[in-house]
């Protein structure tokens, strides 16, 4: 694997390395600008940039005439933004079958393409890897003294002290985990970059994703509504009310279309409800919690800055929760885990449930301040008692992720972990 002084190692590196050893091709998906191509380049021996301004037109013509020609090159061969020529999917699958070798291709894409009827699923040939923006451990801002792996393995000797102040965290969530903003030291330039990213989504990407013309003003209103409800379980009817209250004439069908387009761009990254067997017969809610792929997007849409966050601690807390969910998803991905939340109709809620493929699970509350610790711990312990552990097994850990400094395990077994101490 090639490395250089500019590239910041990603948690996905190990997963990509393993995927290349186990599959003929690897598909890396995620929002544009999150680092997919740079990560792939660390492993690729040759590269095809489908959006290269000098050759893109010729590449598209070649894809329609003889796609196999574009696959020639030293392997692993990186095909960047492959979805511009969806025919390449079947060409890669066929070539993998013919060569009967692992690690032949890496495909990266920041848009979910429209799959033709004759496109093979890729089962048995492709591994899929999802990348998100950089976690605090990847940006070297978390000490990594408390590992998710250690928590699942029952390790109790862990201790840590975060170097991040609450002011640092305010800046970090507004800056986002985009590799280029992480490296940039000029705060004003960082904020302008994130602003430009959001504007590109609104004014360009939403109409390019599937060729449908969409109104930028309507996209902006929709995204602002989602940003206002960040980290909250809100259905489409609530968003519809927000838009109609602002004199937007829009149907429920149009909202679904716009939201689906944002999902194709990996801009929306909602948190689903955990399916769990409880001792009580209380019905569970099914509405997902609203999240964007990075909290900085919500920050731009809300017109937030550090001063505004400290004057509106409720919004600050919701954005901090979104930041923590982003990091927990990155860390859980490395363990082949999935992230959910729990909420029932009696109002019992747990912010995050992490479930691994082997059935182990842990429950997490996300609270900015230490003054919320007791209530959060009480909620976690109550939730643990209500889970049918005969069917689900007991939790591997209970934890409160905070914006404080000191990591420790309480006498009742609940962990208190600053976000600035966590890693995979």
């Amino acid at each position: 694997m090639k490395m250089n002084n500019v590239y910041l190692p990603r948690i996905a590196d190990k997963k990509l390395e393993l995927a290349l050893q186990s599959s003929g091709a690897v598909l890396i998906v995620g929002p544009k600008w999150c680092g997919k191509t740079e990560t792939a380049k660390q492993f690729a021996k040759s590269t095809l940039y489908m959006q290269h301004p000098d050759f893109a037109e010729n590449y598209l013509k070649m894809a329609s005439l003889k796609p196999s020609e574009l696959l020639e090159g030293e392997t692993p061969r990186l095909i960047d933004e492959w979805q511009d020529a969806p025919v390449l999917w079947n060409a890669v699958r066929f070539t993998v079958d013919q060569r009967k070798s692992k690690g032949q291709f890496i495909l990266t894409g920041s848009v979910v393409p429209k799959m033709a009827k004759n496109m093979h699923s890729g089962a048995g040939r492709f591994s899929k890897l999802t990348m998100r923006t950089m976690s605090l451990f990847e940006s070297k801002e978390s000490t990594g003294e408390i590992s998710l792996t250690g928590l699942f393995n029952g390790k109790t000797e862990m201790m840590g002290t975060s170097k991040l102040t609450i002011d640092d965290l305010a800046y970090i969530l507004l800056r986002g985990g985009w590799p280029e903003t992480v490296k940039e030291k000029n705060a004003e330039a960082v904020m302008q970059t994130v602003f430009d990213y959001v504007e590109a989504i609104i004014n360009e990407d939403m109409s390019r994703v599937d060729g449908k013309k969409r109104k930028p003003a309507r996209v902006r209103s929709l995204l602002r509504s989602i940003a206002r409800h960040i980290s909250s379980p809100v259905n489409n009817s609530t968003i519809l009310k927000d838009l109609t209250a602002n004199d937007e004439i829009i149907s429920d069908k149009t909202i679904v279309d716009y939201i689906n387009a944002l999902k194709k761009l990996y801009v929306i990254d909602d948190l689903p409800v955990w399916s769990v067997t409880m001792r009580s017969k209380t019905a569970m809610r099914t509405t997902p919690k609203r999240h964007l792929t990075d909290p900085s997007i919500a920050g731009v849409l809300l017109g937030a800055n550090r001063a505004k966050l400290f004057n509106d601690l409720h919004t600050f807390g919701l954005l901090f929760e979104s930041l923590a969910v982003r990091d927990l998803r990155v860390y859980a991905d490395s363990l082949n885990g999935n992230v959910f939340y729990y909420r029932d109709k009696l109002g019992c809620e747990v912010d995050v449930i992490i479930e691994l493929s082997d059935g182990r699970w842990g429950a997490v509350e996300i609270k900015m301040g230490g003054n919320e610790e007791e209530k959060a711990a009480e909620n976690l312990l109550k939730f643990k008692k209500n889970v049918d552990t005969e069917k689900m097994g007991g939790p591997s850990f209970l934890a409160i992720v905070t914006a404080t400094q000191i990591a420790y395990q309480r006498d009742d077994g609940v962990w208190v972990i600053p976000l600035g101490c966590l890693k995979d």
Side-chain angles (χ1 to χ4, degrees):
M1 184 176 81
K2 298 177 293 184
M3 285 290 182
N4 54 57
N5 293 329
V6 176
Y7 180 75
L8 290 175
R10 305 295 296 271
I11 288 173
D13 292 341
K14 291 180 181 178
K15 290 202 72 173
L16 178 53
E17 187 171 25
L18 178 60
L20 288 168
Q21 294 169 2
S22 61
S23 301
V26 182
L27 172 64
I28 307 178
V29 300
K32 69 175 185 178
W33 212 38
C34 74
K36 299 182 300 297
T37 301
E38 286 304 310
T39 291
K41 282 166 62 177
Q42 309 310 308
F43 296 84
K45 298 291 181 62
S46 66
T47 303
L48 173 70
Y49 295 103
M50 288 300 297
Q51 295 183 350
H52 193 297
D54 295 337
F55 309 114
E57 188 175 346
N58 286 335
Y59 289 156
L60 290 175
K61 289 179 180 178
M62 183 59 69
S64 64
L65 296 171
K66 191 180 180 182
S68 61
E69 189 73 21
L70 298 177
L71 306 187
E72 294 300 321
E74 194 174 358
T75 60
R77 181 161 175 76
L78 166 60
I79 304 175
D80 188 47
E81 300 297 350
W82 73 274
Q83 76 280 343
D84 285 5
V87 68
L88 291 175
W89 180 269
N90 278 354
V92 168
R93 180 190 64 83
F94 180 80
T95 303
V96 166
D97 283 348
Q98 295 300 304
R99 293 180 182 175
K100 301 186 186 303
S101 297
K102 307 296 185 184
Q104 295 297 296
F105 299 99
I106 306 172
L107 278 61
T108 60
S110 51
V111 177
V112 177
K114 183 177 181 181
M115 305 296 274
K117 291 182 179 179
N118 65 341
M119 289 181 72
H120 193 278
S121 67
R125 287 86 166 182
F126 286 84
S127 283
K128 185 177 179 181
L129 176 62
T130 299
M131 284 191 67
R132 294 182 167 86
T133 55
M134 299 182 79
S135 65
L136 298 191
F137 182 66
E138 292 171 301
S139 61
K140 301 187 183 302
E141 290 162 307
S142 169
T143 63
E145 292 166 292
I146 309 295
S147 74
L148 193 60
T149 301
L151 292 172
F152 271 109
N153 289 338
K155 190 174 180 181
T156 58
E157 300 294 318
M158 297 183 290
M159 298 178 65
T161 303
S162 172
K163 300 175 183 177
L164 301 176
T165 65
I166 192 69
D167 194 62
D168 293 331
L169 288 166
Y171 173 71
I172 285 169
L173 66 83
L174 292 172
R175 177 206 67 194
W178 316 99
E180 293 307 312
T181 61
V182 166
K183 296 173 186 176
E184 177 60 59
K185 302 302 181 184
N186 184 322
E188 188 174 350
V190 164
M191 298 311 168
Q192 183 62 46
T193 299
V194 179
F195 176 84
D196 291 342
Y197 179 88
V198 175
E199 288 298 302
I201 292 170
I202 292 170
N203 295 300
E204 301 167 19
D205 296 345
M206 278 290 283
S207 291
R208 290 177 179 174
V209 62
D210 51 16
K212 291 184 181 180
K213 187 68 176 176
R214 295 184 173 89
K215 296 180 180 179
R218 187 171 286 175
V219 176
R220 190 184 307 278
S221 295
L222 174 62
L223 282 170
R224 278 180 175 164
S225 176
I226 294 172
R228 283 196 296 271
H229 297 293
I230 201 77
S231 303
S232 304
V234 171
N235 57 30
N236 289 354
S237 62
T238 300
I239 294 174
L240 179 61
K241 289 178 183 177
D242 280 358
L243 270 60
T244 53
N246 293 323
D247 297 324
E248 280 281 348
I249 301 174
I250 187 170
S251 68
D252 183 65
K253 183 179 178 181
T254 301
I255 284 183
V256 171
D257 172 71
Y258 275 47
I259 287 177
N260 285 341
L262 288 165
K263 288 181 178 179
K264 288 179 181 179
L265 290 167
Y266 301 100
V267 174
I268 289 178
D269 198 5
D270 288 341
L271 192 64
V273 176
W274 191 42
S275 179
V276 59
T277 303
M278 303 292 284
R279 296 185 191 278
S280 65
K281 300 299 181 182
T282 305
M284 290 185 293
R285 299 288 188 183
T286 58
T287 304
K289 272 193 178 184
R290 294 294 180 185
H291 284 279
L292 298 168
T293 196
D294 191 273
S296 64
I297 298 175
V300 167
L301 292 163
L302 296 173
N305 56 35
R306 278 187 277 190
K308 288 183 178 180
L309 290 179
F310 282 105
N311 286 327
D312 183 357
L313 292 179
H314 175 70
T315 297
F316 194 172
L318 293 175
L319 289 172
F320 175 74
E321 180 176 335
S322 193
L323 175 70
V325 166
R326 191 275 315 275
D327 277 19
L328 289 169
R329 279 173 150 160
V330 173
Y331 304 148
D333 279 346
S334 71
L335 305 179
N336 294 319
N338 291 300
V339 178
F340 308 90
Y341 87 103
Y342 175 83
R343 190 186 190 202
D344 62 36
K345 291 190 175 180
L346 292 179
C348 177
E349 181 175 347
V350 176
D351 293 328
V352 169
I353 304 292
I354 304 170
E355 185 176 38
L356 303 188
S357 57
D358 61 10
R360 287 181 293 163
W361 62 276
V364 179
E365 286 279 71
I366 300 170
K367 305 296 177 187
M368 284 182 61
N371 61 324
E372 301 174 281
E373 178 187 318
E374 288 300 326
K375 185 177 179 181
E378 181 182 337
N379 188 56
L380 287 169
L381 292 167
K382 180 180 177 181
F383 175 73
K384 175 184 174 181
K385 289 180 180 178
N386 286 331
V387 173
D388 188 339
T389 54
E390 290 185 5
K391 293 183 178 180
M392 302 301 301
S396 296
F397 66 91
L398 303 173
I400 307 166
V401 171
T402 72
T404 56
Q405 268 68 53
I406 307 299
Y408 61 95
Q409 189 174 27
R410 293 163 45 105
D411 291 340
D412 56 18
V414 176
W415 284 90
V416 177
I417 308 171
L419 187 60
C421 287
L422 263 176
K423 71 170 183 177
D424 58 318

